[in-house]
Amino acid sequence: MQPPPHRLAKPDDPPLAPCGHMWVFAYGSLIWRPGFDHAGQHRAFLRGYHRRFCLWSHRYRGTPERPGLVLGLDRGGACHGIVFRVPGQHAAAVLRYLDDRELPDGAEQVYHRRLVPVRLVDSPGRVVPAIAYVANRACRLYAPALTPEHAAQVIAQGVGQMGANRDYLLNTLEHLTGMGVRDAGLARIAALLPRVRGAA
């Protein structure tokens, strides 16, 4: 039985594994745009959560007037992703960066930072404690029951500070495919996106 996830202390007290490193689990844009230095990465598998477009975005991939959607780890199922290994001496700085990115001051908290057990796919039997940003179900921006059709409609028109919502989806899907991971939910939404005018 997997141990339960835990809330974490402030960034100045990063959770280091017995090996002396901090591990960070990536399931969305962190896969293709981590934004921090790391000493290595591995394919990883997390039980108890799945990747889903379940959070409205009024900033990064949309606006209050025309929201977009971003991915969160939601309860149930399992998720394939990447886990990054961060040397202990850089862990506090990386954790501050991640909190600023995922839990920015003054913005509604759409994620909870957790420590979760992830299995390294390339090292059978090895499980490491990793930082993960889990969807905050109590947040008003939590979107619990969007159909693929509705999600595709929203993603097709969302644009925010970090660019088009469509690109966020397609970049994530492309990198998952490159890892040999098929995410049927994301693939279904991508297939429902309207074609871009002028595209071949």
Side-chain angles (χ1 to χ4, degrees):
M1 183 175 179
Q2 296 281 14
H6 301 283
R7 290 181 183 273
L8 296 179
K10 59 186 179 180
D12 290 337
D13 184 24
L16 301 183
C19 63
H21 300 284
M22 182 178 75
W23 299 86
V24 178
F25 182 68
Y27 58 90
S29 63
L30 280 177
I31 292 175
W32 44 271
R33 189 176 62 84
F36 58 88
D37 291 334
H38 51 275
Q41 65 183 63
H42 304 263
R43 271 271 310 277
F45 182 69
L46 171 64
R47 291 192 183 277
Y49 294 94
H50 64 286
R51 175 179 28 244
R52 192 163 73 83
F53 277 105
C54 60
L55 295 165
W56 296 108
S57 177
H58 291 175
R59 180 178 178 182
Y60 290 139
R61 297 292 172 173
T63 65
E65 299 74 25
R66 184 172 286 186
L69 286 166
V70 291
L71 292 164
L73 284 175
D74 208 359
R75 295 177 192 163
C79 182
H80 284 272
I82 293 287
V83 70
F84 295 104
R85 179 167 52 89
V86 178
Q89 66 268 32
H90 303 307
V94 168
L95 199 53
R96 282 192 293 271
Y97 162 77
L98 289 170
D99 276 4
D100 286 345
R101 173 170 166 168
E102 307 295 350
L103 311 170
D105 288 341
E108 186 151 4
Q109 185 173 319
V110 298
Y111 297 106
H112 291 305
R113 174 162 52 85
R114 305 289 198 198
L115 193 63
V116 296
V118 299
R119 179 169 58 84
L120 305 188
V121 174
D122 57 2
S123 300
R126 186 178 181 191
V127 175
V128 298
I131 296 290
Y133 289 85
V134 174
N136 175 10
R137 286 187 158 206
C139 173
R140 68 182 176 91
L141 299 179
Y142 176 63
L146 295 180
T147 65
E149 291 78 11
H150 189 181
Q153 180 183 16
V154 170
I155 290 168
Q157 51 82 43
V159 180
Q161 292 179 3
M162 298 304 296
N165 208 170
R166 170 192 290 266
D167 293 341
Y168 172 84
L169 164 58
L170 296 180
N171 277 338
T172 302
L173 195 56
E174 178 183 355
H175 282 78
L176 289 172
T177 300
M179 292 161 48
V181 173
R182 172 165 173 75
D183 188 306
L186 267 59
R188 171 65 174 157
I189 295 170
L192 291 167
L193 291 175
R195 295 187 64 179
V196 176
R197 188 173 299 174

